[in-house]
Amino acid sequence: MHDDRSLVEDRLRRVLDDRVRPAVYPESVPLDVAVWHAPGEPVPVAEGLAAEPEPITVGTRWGAPWGTSWFTVTGTVPEQWAGRTVEALFDLGFDGNMPGFQCEGLVYRPDGTPVKGVNPLNQWVRIGAPAAGGEQVRLHIEAASNPVVFGPRPFQPTPLGDKETAGAEPQYTLNRMDLAVFDETVWNLVTDLEVLGELMAELPVDSARRWDILRAVERALDALDLQDVGGTAAEARSRLTGVLSSPAAPSAHRISAVGHAHIDSAWLWPLRETVRKVARTAANMTALLEDEPEFVFAMSQAQQWAWVRDHRPEVWARVKKAVADGRFVPAGGMWVESDTNMPGSEAMARQFVHGKRFFLDEFGIENDEAWLPDTFGFAAGLPQIIRAAGSKYLLTQKISWSQTNRFPHHTFQWEGIDGTRIFTHFPPVDTYNCAMTGAEIAHAARNFKDKGAARHSLAPTGFGDGGGGTSREMIARAARLRDLEGSATVTWETPKAFFDKAAAEYPDAPVWVGELYLELHRATLTSQAKTKQGNRRSEHLLREAELWAATAAVRTGFRYPYEDLDRIWKTVLLHQFHDILPGSSIAWVHREARATYERITAELDGIVDAAQRALAGDGGTPLLFNAAPHALAGVPAGGAGETADAGTPTGLTARDGGGHVLDNGLLRVEIDARGLVVSAYDIDADRETIAPGEAANLLQLHTDLPNKWDAWDVDKFYRNTVTDLTDADEVTAGEDGASVRIVRSFGASRVTQVLSLAAGERRLLVDTEVDWHETEKFLKLAFPLDLHAERYASETQFGHVFRPTHTNTSWEAAKFEACNHRFVHLAEPGWGVAVVNDSTYGHDVTRTVRTDGDRGTTTTVRVSLLRAPRFPDPETDQGVHRFRHALVPGASIGDAVREGWRVNLPERRLTGAAGTAPLVTVDRDAVVVTAVKLADDGSGDVVVRLHEAHGGRVRATLTADFETTGVTATDLLERPLPDSPSLDGNRVALRLRPFELVTLRFGRHA
């Protein structure tokens, strides 16, 4: 037989595009349209419905950037359409290639009842099936004219990312507002031909199945009268019955489809718009659930559920019913789909506390899975947190975006830093916006790396990023793929059903140990510095507020601010969303984030001050309140008291050759005439910290224009060019006699640094203020160390992770920018160095061997300070920034932990009557208390969270300094665990494995 595949396939494409798809709506009549443009921010539904609209015609431009327009459409169903299916078609100016990234609408009836959302790939609203001839139609559309920030040429700077700079030019053209007859037979024929055509293209050319489909499609096209598609569609469909009913092979890959709409809580739109995106999507999905009995839809992010509840009660009522029916499924058990690299230990825990508790309180549903399809890599402390929250599974898709290495598994056990393992799945469909196309399904089956041991995978199905969700077309495709020869099988299932099935099937899944590093989007560790600083400082302020409020509540009867802390935590958690904290959202989002963090700071400072004043009482004794988990200046952790003598005062002298020398008997630091640290000598250890011929406190400036994803990415070639900022405008001794001030100018920017060495301390503080006015530049701060280390420790949640300093493999070379929390630590046996920070995350560590002199190793730690990408925020990080870092020579890992906490917590001093004993004390520095608070249920019980922080086994005793009725070990949600420690008086004996996390609840009399 002659090979006529191309002829038939081209015919199929032409007939589908030019004849069959247009015949889905064979008849239409225009609707009358009027519009009212809301003058400012979105208005309540009642106000929008009551407004007086003005007539508008199709073809008219409408919608200023970020505006809201209320369209009113009216019309009459023609008498001759009686008994036929009629739909309203609304095209607000959509681009079908960009669902979720442009204008959208939510349709209402005149009484305010939501009908469904409309978006580029979901433009219909059912009027009647069958319709009544002469029926009057009146609908309202709340339409958002969100501008297209991610335009035809992506990553171009645009003012559209902030309402304050976006202007008022109309963004869209009204394209269609019609009533139309919907021909369901033709619509089904479209789906039949699409599914078979897509499947055919994925099958081997020498496959008999491919040719069977080709001939069936040819027969169907022959049966179709192109002048009467509607009249012949049924016959054409009948000729496809055989190939559509042939069952899949028993060995076929099995896909669990989960209805899904990934909705970024903020990204190329502000938070307030996400509130509406979620409502539109939820309205669509609840409507679809009513029509499709097998369909299951899952929605993550408790914050988004709360938005529907609080802002769209009419949609919420439908959602609650669908949840009760088991069809609309809460997923993930987190407050938002957060970044997991940068949130601190407690914050990461609270993501699960607040997320899981919301679903439990609202629906009585416990989530088993963490659902993070789009998060930019996963910190190695996360498995223990997931398990401590009572969950056991993880789903993500993002690792498939890695540029260098292909991850070797799709289903595996992920082992964290403490040994906890979590059953994890990466959908091999390689998208969290699966549309159920033949190419996607075939790719999932081919791509699945665990063949022979497992055969199940998950496909999150529905338009996402900006929402939209699953469409009826996707459901129709899935129905045909349920059991179809040549294809993987597709079944609608909940995430829990998939995971339970997959885990049972694959009990000996392979193990991946350590972080799940995304080899992409590394610059998200640095972009939008003020957002990152706001997060870090809010986390530590929340620690202080809980600690001092709990202490004051137990000691003085102070009113513990349960509601305020709950609200503030949720706000901080929201801003850890994976496009807010990483700095990859539009200018509007980060402008609002800065203002939010300022409000949070003021409110938390108020709580801390009120609690501390209640504890201090009236008096003139100077008191230090120590919120750190280690003793400070003689004041115990979590307590308040008078400070001990600091030790030998620091001396400041002139340096031979220019510059200054700081010496406190522990460290001798030489700062040359350029303001660079050329020596940091550990006197006790008789050891130099700075590599020979090198200088620390070196600011380095790189050109930084990644190939794409400007705010997200830094490409390795940025290192090819560097400018060392060694010229100083001034290097002067500080008036306090213990510091040196350095001023530098470069480009349009200016840096002022103060290097200080306090009495009795083995740490050099580096305070940096940058008035930053560069574009497409990357600013680093370098510390070249005379130290030979093949690996270094980087703090993560509830511990630290080790990374190599070498690049033996492509996996190691790909980690050229990585995340740390408060410290980076490097060591040779018996001596180490820590670099600690108060608000930065990105860093790199490199090593070279000196070819002359001692032939020793120089290991350089560089912290990332600032970037200046121009998309999606063209003014990223312009302005003044302040950072604090410290170089700690002679540091053990315990010193790194201690100094990391200290640099992040301000010293708070009051005068009062007397000091305050801590509520709890621990007798081992290796055990770090991360939270002291009152129980969330309002019982007055004291909750203490702690972990082993040095990476070794430890025995310790925790002592409670208050009257307690007993102690219980709990999960993160403060629910009792089966095994609890015994209480000996007020003491609890602890035996912790490396990095083990423990939560203890101490009962108190009501």
Side-chain angles (χ1 to χ4, degrees), residues 341-585:
N341 286 313
M342 291 176 281
S345 302
E346 272 303 304
M348 200 72 254
R350 304 298 175 97
Q351 285 286 352
F352 288 90
V353 169
H354 288 283
K356 294 196 76 170
R357 187 171 288 147
F358 180 91
F359 294 138
L360 282 164
D361 290 348
E362 294 290 340
F363 307 113
I365 290 175
E366 174 99 8
N367 293 102
D368 286 336
E369 75 290 332
W371 183 274
L372 294 164
D374 191 31
T375 295
F376 309 153
F378 299 87
L382 188 58
Q384 180 175 206
I385 298 172
I386 294 172
R387 184 73 68 179
S391 297
K392 55 186 178 180
Y393 303 131
L394 169 67
L395 177 135
T396 185
Q397 180 270 322
K398 201 67 173 188
I399 299 299
S400 70
W401 287 40
S402 286
Q403 288 180 314
T404 306
N405 298 285
R406 290 182 61 81
F407 198 80
H409 315 294
H410 280 108
T411 302
F412 59 99
Q413 294 280 355
W414 177 29
E415 181 177 317
I417 55 174
D418 73 311
T420 298
R421 292 181 176 179
I422 293 294
F423 189 83
T424 302
H425 181 66
F426 294 171
V429 71
D430 279 349
T431 177
Y432 48 79
N433 296 325
C434 176
M436 277 292 139
T437 66
E440 290 171 331
I441 301 306
H443 174 76
R446 281 195 303 265
N447 189 40
F448 187 58
K449 293 184 174 64
D450 300 280
K451 298 181 185 77
R455 64 170 59 179
H456 285 85
S457 72
L458 186 147
T461 303
F463 300 119
D465 291 313
T470 317
S471 69
R472 63 182 178 185
E473 287 78 12
M474 296 174 195
I475 293 174
R477 293 187 196 112
R480 287 155 176 80
L481 295 169
R482 183 179 184 89
D483 188 15
L484 183 62
E485 183 185 356
S487 172
T489 66
V490 176
T491 305
W492 293 105
E493 291 189 300
T494 65
K496 175 177 173 52
F498 161 74
F499 272 113
D500 287 349
K501 189 180 298 181
E505 171 188 68
Y506 207 9
D508 56 346
V511 177
W512 180 270
V513 178
E515 66 186 326
L516 294 170
Y517 179 92
L518 177 64
E519 297 170 353
L520 192 74
H521 292 0
R522 303 169 182 90
T524 58
L525 302 174
T526 305
S527 298
Q528 297 288 358
K530 280 187 166 56
T531 298
K532 291 171 171 57
Q533 288 181 331
N535 173 73
R536 177 78 69 85
R537 291 167 184 171
S538 296
E539 288 180 351
H540 287 84
L541 278 167
L542 278 160
R543 170 192 174 82
E544 289 190 88
E546 289 182 338
L547 169 66
W548 299 124
T551 305
V554 173
R555 299 278 187 246
T556 73
F558 180 81
R559 187 191 70 81
Y560 191 81
Y562 291 101
E563 296 81 6
D564 294 335
L565 291 171
D566 180 81
R567 170 177 46 80
I568 294 169
W569 262 118
K570 288 173 179 174
T571 301
V572 171
L573 298 177
L574 166 60
H575 285 79
Q576 291 176 342
F577 178 75
H578 66 252
D579 278 307
I580 303 179
L581 180 54
S584 47
S585 288

Side-chain angles (χ1 to χ4, degrees), residues 300-358:
S300 69
Q301 307 191 72
Q303 171 67 89
Q304 296 188 0
W305 289 72
W307 279 334
V308 178
R309 180 195 63 190
D310 298 341
H311 295 276
R312 286 291 193 269
E314 63 282 3
V315 178
W316 180 248
R318 289 163 48 174
V319 167
K320 287 188 70 174
K321 180 182 182 303
V323 172
D325 293 339
R327 310 275 308 288
F328 199 117
V329 182
M334 296 175 67
W335 191 247
V336 294
E337 290 181 11
S338 73
D339 180 81
T340 76
N341 286 313
M342 291 176 281
S345 302
E346 272 303 304
M348 200 72 254
R350 304 298 175 97
Q351 285 286 352
F352 288 90
V353 169
H354 288 283
K356 294 196 76 170
R357 187 171 288 147
F358 180 91

